[in-house]
Amino acid sequence: MSARTYDRILEPRSQRRLPLGDGTWYQLARAYVRVQLISQGVFFLLVAAVAVAVQVITGVQWQWIPAGIILAVTLFGLVITPRQARSFGYQLRRDDLVFRRGILWQRVVAVPYGRMQLVDITHGPLDRGFGIAQLKLVTAAASTGVTIPGLTQEAAEHLRDTLVAVAETRRTGL
């Protein structure tokens, strides 16, 4: 685990939570939060600017109803992004990779190494500027594909190489 990642995955306090299990959970990079905040902040400012421009040009005020809803949802996203990022994590186990995300709507997916067909690393311009990438696992079943956002570039490359090596030793998948 790098110093540029979160140090622990937060577990919901509810008695009905999905258990995390034993083993080492790897986290997202802290830069992921900054990238998300920048992206959502730019979107927030763009919506506000369009609403102001419509009011100045047309003189009507009805656009503030949909703009207000969009701005409220975006502001909520800005507030929960840091907590949401800490809920992401992945674990390499003997036969599969387990990915976990979510605060209220939790999702835990176990992807067997033998079902992986492709491991893809992508990063946009903002991601490259902050040194992060997203790793996507494509499986035989579309519903079990996993995308792990916000990994450091080194972690994404290491995870890709590890998954390819495991698949080659088992002569399954990839």
Side-chain angles (χ1 to χ4, degrees):
M1 185 177 313
S2 168
R4 296 172 26 198
T5 64
Y6 291 100
D7 57 355
R8 64 187 175 95
I9 190 166
L10 295 181
E11 197 169 346
R13 293 183 208 117
S14 169
Q15 294 297 325
R16 296 188 183 113
R17 69 183 183 270
L18 294 172
L20 293 180
D22 297 329
T24 302
W25 283 92
Y26 297 96
Q27 298 294 148
L28 302 185
R30 292 180 183 268
Y32 172 73
V33 172
R34 288 189 287 273
V35 169
Q36 290 300 308
L37 292 176
I38 290 169
S39 300
Q40 292 175 20
V42 167
F43 180 75
F44 184 90
L45 294 175
L46 183 64
V47 170
V50 167
V52 168
V54 168
Q55 183 171 354
V56 168
I57 292 170
T58 65
V60 297
Q61 296 183 1
W62 63 265
Q63 78 281 358
W64 286 106
I65 295 170
I69 293 169
I70 293 170
L71 292 174
V73 169
T74 305
L75 185 61
F76 179 73
L78 283 165
V79 170
I80 69 165
T81 293
R83 171 60 179 95
Q84 180 186 29
R86 289 190 309 270
S87 73
F88 282 77
Y90 69 93
Q91 183 182 51
L92 296 170
R93 299 193 306 187
R94 184 171 166 261
D95 295 320
D96 56 14
L97 176 134
V98 178
F99 175 71
R100 182 205 189 278
R101 73 169 190 199
I103 302 169
L104 294 176
W105 287 271
Q106 299 172 28
R107 180 177 185 207
V108 178
V109 179
V111 182
Y113 297 130
R115 302 289 287 172
M116 287 186 240
Q117 294 181 340
L118 174 72
V119 180
D120 182 27
I121 297 176
T122 59
H123 39 82
L126 195 55
D127 294 339
R128 282 192 302 275
F130 282 88
I132 62 173
Q134 120 179 330
L135 186 128
K136 182 177 182 180
L137 304 170
V138 178
T139 63
S143 64
T144 59
V146 168
T147 300
I148 305 173
L151 297 173
T152 63
Q153 186 66 37
E154 302 83 30
E157 291 171 2
H158 177 72
L159 181 57
R160 178 200 56 207
D161 295 344
T162 300
L163 294 173
V164 169
V166 169
E168 285 178 359
T169 60
R170 296 175 186 218
R171 303 213 185 275
T172 59
L174 296 177

